Amino acid sequence: METTFTEDRTPSLPRDRFLWVAMLVVATVLVGLSLARYWGYNAGMFDLGNMTQAILSVLRGQPLVTTGPGGNVSRLAGHVEVIYLAFVPLLALWPNAQPLLIGQALLMVAGALPAYRMALRHLEDVTAARSVALLYLLYPVALTAVLFDFHGDTLAMPLLLFALDAADRQAWRWYALWIALSLLSKVYVAAPVFGIGAFLWFWAERRRAGMGTMLAAALYGSVVFFGVRGLFVSSATGLAVTSGYVNHYYGNLSQVWGTLLPRLVSALLVFGPVLFLGWRGWRWLLPAAPLTLAVLLSSGPGTVYHYAYHHYALVVPFVVMAVIDGAVRLRQQGAEAAPGERVRQWKPDLIFTTVIVAVVSLLMVDQPLNPRFWLALPGQGLDHARYGQVARDEVKDRFLAEAVPDTVPLAASMFLAPRLVNRDTLYLVRYPDDPGGERLPSLLPDVEYVLADALFDWRTLTDEGVLPTVAYEAAEIRTLLNDSSFGLVAARDGLLLFQRDAPAAQVLSNTVTLTSTVEVAAKSLDLGPATLRGFAVEQRAGRRFEATFVWELNGPPPATPWVAISQLGVASDARFVHLPTYVLQPITTWPDDQLIYERFAFEVPDEIPAGRYEWQIAWYDATHPEAAFSDEQALPPGIEPVVVGTILVP
């Protein structure tokens, strides 16, 4: 908008019921989906857990400290999200990630207010203002950013819109406040803020404000990136202030060419929905261009260039401004047209642009209006690994509350860790860049407990199939079972808690040996290539038992890993993973001339009523995504659950 800045300095709230209903609906959906993902243990330590741990650390007098694979590090040594300090009071009252998710969603929705006000101010039409507000509320990368954990750039998205609205009203004190809050959201927000200053200088004829904005952005960005970050770098992490940051995102640029097409598709989804009208306001797209280009060229971690990542949230304020500017220009063009001259109508074009945004959002964002949401494909929609929940999630709730000590140094499974962040030290059992079992041994000296998941049940659909498998942490569990300094002290439904120097009386032993004789009650049950030759279960004390299984390989071993899971009756959370033949001596390694003598201790949960239960066992293909739930789909061909005996639970 060339010279459209006005003298209206009052940021009044719109009284349009349509706007408030739209905001309420979107807020309800975003809050609901964000919390559902958290409740279902589908939000990982990266990044929701890290952010929550960092904010909670302030309550212990630490500067936004979180635990990374190299040790504890302050967020002020990385992205410098000073704005996280504003959430400390919330977490002091409610010390987990939920208030962060709620606050982020509500702040995003509030950005519809300045979008509506600016559209109404310049287009003088309520329908136009509603269209722009809806365009913002439904913009694909705005929604995906909110649904992608908790991040400073997502917080900056509505703050930048409030700043632009303040500049539009020439309310420069308010403008300075909103710009300051935006800069505090993340170090690289300085780039789009500098772009706002350039726009004010070159096209809005507000040279003083433009120059001040550019200087503030350049000064803040430089001081923080090259100075402040270095003050918080820990020597233990080995983090280089500048080169480490750059290498983190651009350390393997050679892979860019191999993924050029998906990067171009992401660029199209970031800008494309508004180009029908927004191209006319192209000047407003320029402030977003440098950051967008930087993200599209990034080589990691992961597919960070994908449109669903949070970085693109900073583009949204500028596409909103481009649409408003484009509509204003088209309106002026119509007003200046000669009688009888055919020109495009700005209002239909604006409405059509909003429809395009809504359709793209419907098709590309994982939310209830997307038909795929209800198909529950792996890692999508109502699937248990996205927004759905399963009975095992309730088991996790109880196990974490009852078994895991507060505050102690801990290494935890990726999707269990975000529930345990109120502590100084919180490593992961397995980091995403670990091929399996390599990093954990170096972390064990720094922790007192380890919480692993033998039935890792999070998964997503990738080019290589549904990954990861239930055996995601198998190598780490093997390490812990073989480490004499750690003992398994609690186990439930595949959830395993190991304690350093655990008292012998509390340890749940797991052993496997090769033998030639059957020393327990003989059996002869064929479960595919695994023949059960013997079974016994003995009560040790109270509800603690020890089970013994004797196996024999009958034919060639399976080509993929299998896991044996026992269950008492029909109780969904009375399952026991056979760790000895799962991680210590997997069925794929069994010799064909000896018996496999498997023994493991277990404790029946208090929630299971006293009584006699049938002991049921089956082998499952550990590469099948449903193996974590003992689903019949994961049974290898020819395998069925069998009852091998009974157990009397006191």
Side-chain angles (χ1 to χ4, degrees), residues 371-606:
R372 289 178 299 174
F373 181 92
W374 304 98
L375 296 177
L377 300 174
Q380 299 180 35
L382 290 178
D383 180 58
H384 70 81
R386 183 63 174 175
Y387 299 122
Q389 291 180 264
V390 291
R392 190 167 187 257
D393 295 329
E394 297 179 4
V395 177
K396 294 175 185 177
D397 289 341
R398 294 195 295 270
F399 188 81
L400 267 58
E402 297 169 1
V404 183
D406 296 332
T407 72
V408 298
L410 174 73
S413 186
M414 170 70 82
F415 293 94
L416 302 177
R419 304 297 189 95
L420 304 164
V421 291
N422 199 4
R423 63 190 71 232
D424 288 336
T425 301
L426 179 59
Y427 290 103
L428 295 182
V429 170
R430 178 177 175 181
Y431 285 87
D433 62 347
D434 188 340
E438 293 188 2
R439 182 177 278 123
L440 183 62
S442 66
L443 304 180
L444 291 179
D446 296 332
V447 301
E448 296 299 320
Y449 287 82
V450 179
L451 175 63
D453 191 349
L455 297 177
F456 195 85
D457 59 18
W458 185 87
R459 78 278 177 85
T460 189
L461 191 60
T462 72
D463 293 338
E464 300 175 0
V466 180
L467 294 174
T469 68
V470 295
Y472 182 70
E473 295 175 352
E476 286 74 15
I477 295 170
R478 182 184 307 114
T479 296
L480 290 161
L481 289 175
N482 287 326
D483 190 329
S484 60
S485 60
F486 279 87
L488 179 64
V489 294
R492 184 165 187 181
D493 206 45
L495 304 173
L496 311 173
L497 183 67
F498 294 86
Q499 179 183 350
R500 176 186 298 281
D501 299 328
Q506 296 181 17
V507 173
L508 299 171
S509 60
N510 284 263
T511 61
V512 61
T513 56
L514 303 180
T515 183
S516 58
T517 60
V518 178
E519 300 176 2
V520 294
K523 294 280 185 180
S524 183
L525 293 173
D526 288 334
L527 288 86
T531 298
L532 182 63
R533 293 300 186 191
F535 165 75
V537 59
E538 299 178 10
Q539 184 179 8
R540 293 306 185 196
R543 288 187 159 220
R544 180 167 290 210
F545 296 82
E546 184 175 75
T548 302
F549 288 79
V550 182
W551 301 97
E552 182 180 29
L553 187 64
N554 180 22
T560 59
W562 286 10
V563 54
I565 301 176
S566 288
Q567 182 168 326
L568 304 187
V570 296
S572 62
D573 58 349
R575 297 189 303 164
F576 310 102
V577 179
H578 291 228
L579 296 178
T581 52
Y582 181 34
V583 298
L584 296 178
Q585 187 80 53
I587 189 172
T588 53
T589 67
W590 288 5
D592 58 7
D593 58 349
Q594 289 182 290
L595 300 175
I596 313 301
Y597 200 89
E598 173 185 40
R599 178 177 291 167
F600 60 90
F602 65 95
E603 189 166 350
V604 179
D606 292 338

Side-chain angles (χ1 to χ4, degrees), residues 336-403:
E336 295 169 359
E341 181 180 354
R342 188 175 181 180
V343 295
R344 296 195 64 84
Q345 299 298 306
W346 67 271
K347 188 185 293 187
D349 278 14
L350 174 57
I351 294 173
F352 186 62
T353 300
T354 303
V355 170
I356 293 174
V357 168
V359 170
V360 174
S361 181
L362 182 148
L363 295 175
M364 303 306 297
V365 180
D366 196 4
Q367 40 78 27
L369 294 181
N370 187 331
R372 289 178 299 174
F373 181 92
W374 304 98
L375 296 177
L377 300 174
Q380 299 180 35
L382 290 178
D383 180 58
H384 70 81
R386 183 63 174 175
Y387 299 122
Q389 291 180 264
V390 291
R392 190 167 187 257
D393 295 329
E394 297 179 4
V395 177
K396 294 175 185 177
D397 289 341
R398 294 195 295 270
F399 188 81
L400 267 58
E402 297 169 1

Side-chain angles (χ1 to χ4, degrees), residues 62-278:
Q62 300 171 349
L64 294 172
V65 170
T66 187
T67 306
N72 281 1
V73 61
S74 171
R75 299 293 305 180
L76 301 180
H79 289 312
V80 197
E81 301 105 334
V82 180
I83 199 169
Y84 287 174
L85 297 175
F87 289 86
V88 172
L90 275 177
L91 265 65
L93 299 173
W94 192 0
N96 63 49
Q98 294 178 86
L100 302 182
L101 297 172
I102 295 171
Q104 176 178 258
L106 295 181
L107 182 59
M108 177 273 177
V109 169
L113 295 173
Y116 181 97
R117 284 198 300 249
M118 286 187 286
L120 185 61
R121 189 177 302 128
H122 292 286
L123 297 171
E124 301 175 311
D125 184 276
V126 172
T127 300
R130 290 173 175 176
S131 296
V132 171
L134 281 177
L135 181 147
Y136 167 76
L137 290 170
L138 300 178
Y139 205 73
V141 296
L143 298 179
T144 54
V146 174
L147 296 174
F148 194 132
D149 295 333
F150 178 83
H151 296 95
D153 29 22
T154 307
L155 301 176
M157 172 174 57
L159 298 177
L160 287 173
L161 273 172
F162 278 105
L164 291 166
D165 180 43
D168 193 34
R169 295 181 286 107
Q170 298 186 55
W172 300 114
R173 291 183 179 178
W174 280 105
Y175 171 75
L177 173 63
W178 294 119
I179 286 292
L181 291 174
S182 300
L183 288 172
L184 295 175
S185 299
K186 213 162 202 175
V187 60
Y188 56 68
V189 177
V193 168
F194 186 92
I196 292 174
F199 185 94
L200 294 176
W201 172 276
F202 288 106
W203 290 298
E205 298 183 359
R206 297 293 173 182
R207 295 186 179 274
R208 182 178 177 182
M211 178 58 70
T213 303
M214 287 189 287
L215 287 175
L219 182 62
Y220 180 83
S222 299
V223 169
V224 168
F225 189 80
F226 296 104
V228 173
R229 294 172 63 247
L231 299 176
F232 294 93
V233 170
S234 169
S235 59
T237 64
L239 177 68
V241 176
T242 303
S243 61
Y245 192 93
V246 174
N247 289 335
H248 184 66
Y249 291 103
Y250 303 98
N252 188 18
L253 290 177
S254 60
Q255 70 173 242
V256 173
W257 288 109
T259 54
L260 186 59
L261 180 59
R263 292 172 190 267
L264 292 176
V265 171
S266 288
L268 181 62
L269 290 170
V270 171
F271 291 106
V274 297
L275 290 183
F276 182 76
L277 179 59

